Coordinates of all heavy atoms in Angstrom, one line a residue:
Q427 N 72.1 51.9 37.1 CA 73.3 51.7 36.2 C 74.5 51.2 37.0 O 75.3 50.4 36.5 CB 73.6 52.9 35.4 CG 74.7 52.7 34.4 CD 75.1 54.0 33.7 OE1 74.4 55.1 33.9 NE2 76.0 54.0 32.7
G428 N 74.6 51.8 38.2 CA 75.8 51.5 39.0 C 75.6 50.3 40.0 O 76.5 50.1 40.8
R429 N 74.5 49.6 39.9 CA 74.3 48.5 40.8 C 75.3 47.4 40.5 O 75.5 46.9 39.4 CB 72.9 47.9 40.6 CG 72.6 46.7 41.5 CD 71.1 46.3 41.3 NE 70.8 45.0 41.9 CZ 70.6 44.8 43.3 NH1 70.7 45.9 44.1 NH2 70.4 43.6 43.7
G430 N 76.0 47.0 41.6 CA 77.1 46.0 41.4 C 78.5 46.5 41.4 O 79.4 45.8 41.4
L431 N 78.6 47.9 41.4 CA 79.9 48.5 41.5 C 80.6 48.1 42.9 O 81.7 47.6 42.9 CB 79.8 50.0 41.4 CG 81.1 50.8 41.8 CD1 82.3 50.3 40.9 CD2 80.9 52.3 41.6
M432 N 79.8 48.2 44.0 CA 80.3 47.8 45.3 C 79.6 46.4 45.5 O 78.5 46.3 45.9 CB 80.0 48.8 46.4 CG 80.6 48.4 47.7 SD 80.4 49.7 48.9 CE 78.6 49.7 49.1
R433 N 80.4 45.3 45.4 CA 79.8 44.0 45.5 C 79.6 43.6 46.9 O 78.7 42.8 47.2 CB 80.8 43.0 44.8 CG 81.1 43.3 43.3 CD 80.0 42.9 42.4 NE 79.7 41.5 42.4 CZ 80.3 40.6 41.6 NH1 81.2 41.0 40.8 NH2 79.9 39.4 41.7
A434 N 80.4 44.1 47.9 CA 80.2 43.7 49.3 C 81.0 44.6 50.1 O 81.9 45.3 49.7 CB 80.7 42.2 49.5
E435 N 80.6 44.7 51.4 CA 81.4 45.5 52.4 C 81.3 44.9 53.8 O 80.3 44.1 54.1 CB 80.9 46.9 52.4 CG 79.5 47.1 53.0 CD 79.2 48.6 53.1 OE1 80.0 49.5 52.8 OE2 78.0 48.9 53.6
F436 N 82.3 45.1 54.6 CA 82.3 44.7 56.0 C 82.9 45.8 56.8 O 83.9 46.4 56.5 CB 83.1 43.4 56.1 CG 83.2 42.9 57.5 CD1 82.2 42.2 58.1 CD2 84.4 43.2 58.2 CE1 82.4 41.8 59.4 CE2 84.5 42.7 59.6 CZ 83.5 42.0 60.2
Q437 N 82.3 46.0 58.0 CA 82.7 47.1 58.9 C 83.5 46.5 60.1 O 82.9 45.6 60.8 CB 81.5 47.9 59.4 CG 82.0 49.1 60.3 CD 80.8 50.0 60.6 OE1 79.7 49.8 60.1 NE2 81.1 51.0 61.4
H438 N 84.7 46.9 60.3 CA 85.5 46.5 61.4 C 85.1 47.3 62.6 O 84.4 48.3 62.5 CB 87.0 46.6 61.1 CG 87.5 45.7 60.1 ND1 87.3 45.9 58.7 CD2 88.2 44.6 60.2 CE1 87.9 44.9 58.1 NE2 88.4 44.1 58.9
G439 N 85.6 46.9 63.8 CA 85.4 47.7 65.0 C 86.1 49.0 65.0 O 85.6 50.0 65.6
K440 N 87.3 49.1 64.4 CA 88.0 50.3 64.3 C 88.6 50.4 62.9 O 88.3 49.6 62.0 CB 89.1 50.4 65.4 CG 88.6 50.5 66.8 CD 89.7 50.7 67.8 CE 89.2 50.8 69.2 NZ 90.3 50.9 70.2
S441 N 89.5 51.3 62.7 CA 90.1 51.6 61.4 C 90.7 50.3 60.8 O 91.4 49.5 61.4 CB 91.2 52.6 61.5 OG 91.9 52.8 60.3
A442 N 90.4 50.0 59.5 CA 90.9 48.9 58.8 C 92.3 49.3 58.2 O 92.4 50.2 57.4 CB 90.0 48.5 57.7
S443 N 93.3 48.5 58.6 CA 94.7 48.9 58.2 C 95.0 48.4 56.8 O 95.7 49.1 56.0 CB 95.7 48.3 59.2 OG 95.4 48.7 60.5
S444 N 94.7 47.1 56.5 CA 95.0 46.5 55.2 C 94.1 45.4 54.9 O 93.5 44.8 55.7 CB 96.5 46.1 55.2 OG 96.6 45.0 56.2
A445 N 94.0 45.0 53.6 CA 93.3 43.9 53.1 C 93.9 43.4 51.8 O 94.2 44.2 50.9 CB 91.8 44.2 52.9
Y446 N 94.2 42.1 51.7 CA 94.9 41.6 50.5 C 94.3 40.3 50.0 O 93.9 39.4 50.9 CB 96.4 41.4 50.8 CG 97.1 42.6 51.2 CD1 97.5 42.8 52.5 CD2 97.4 43.7 50.3 CE1 98.1 44.0 53.0 CE2 98.1 44.8 50.7 CZ 98.4 45.0 52.0 OH 99.1 46.1 52.4
W447 N 94.3 40.0 48.7 CA 93.9 38.8 48.1 C 95.1 37.8 48.2 O 96.3 38.2 48.1 CB 93.5 38.9 46.7 CG 92.2 39.6 46.4 CD1 92.0 40.9 46.1 CD2 90.9 39.1 46.4 NE1 90.7 41.2 45.9 CE2 90.0 40.1 46.1 CE3 90.4 37.8 46.7 CZ2 88.6 39.9 46.0 CZ3 89.0 37.6 46.7 CH2 88.2 38.6 46.3
D448 N 94.8 36.5 48.3 CA 95.8 35.5 48.3 C 96.2 35.2 46.8 O 95.5 35.7 45.9 CB 95.4 34.3 49.0 CG 94.4 33.4 48.2 OD1 93.7 34.0 47.4 OD2 94.3 32.2 48.4
P449 N 97.3 34.4 46.6 CA 97.7 34.2 45.2 C 96.6 33.5 44.3 O 96.7 33.5 43.1 CB 98.9 33.3 45.3 CG 99.4 33.6 46.7 CD 98.2 33.9 47.5
R450 N 95.7 32.8 45.0 CA 94.6 32.1 44.2 C 93.5 33.1 43.8 O 92.7 32.8 42.9 CB 94.0 31.0 45.0 CG 95.0 30.0 45.6 CD 94.3 29.0 46.5 NE 93.7 29.7 47.7 CZ 92.9 29.2 48.5 NH1 92.5 27.9 48.4 NH2 92.4 29.9 49.6
G451 N 93.3 34.2 44.5 CA 92.2 35.0 44.3 C 90.9 34.5 45.0 O 89.8 34.8 44.6

Side-chain angles (χ1 to χ4, degrees):
Q427 184 183 1
R429 179 174 170 78
L431 168 59
M432 187 174 64
R433 302 285 295 274
E435 71 174 358
F436 175 80
Q437 184 172 355
H438 292 78
K440 292 185 179 179
S441 172
S443 308
S444 63
Y446 301 106
W447 289 100
D448 75 331
R450 305 173 299 170

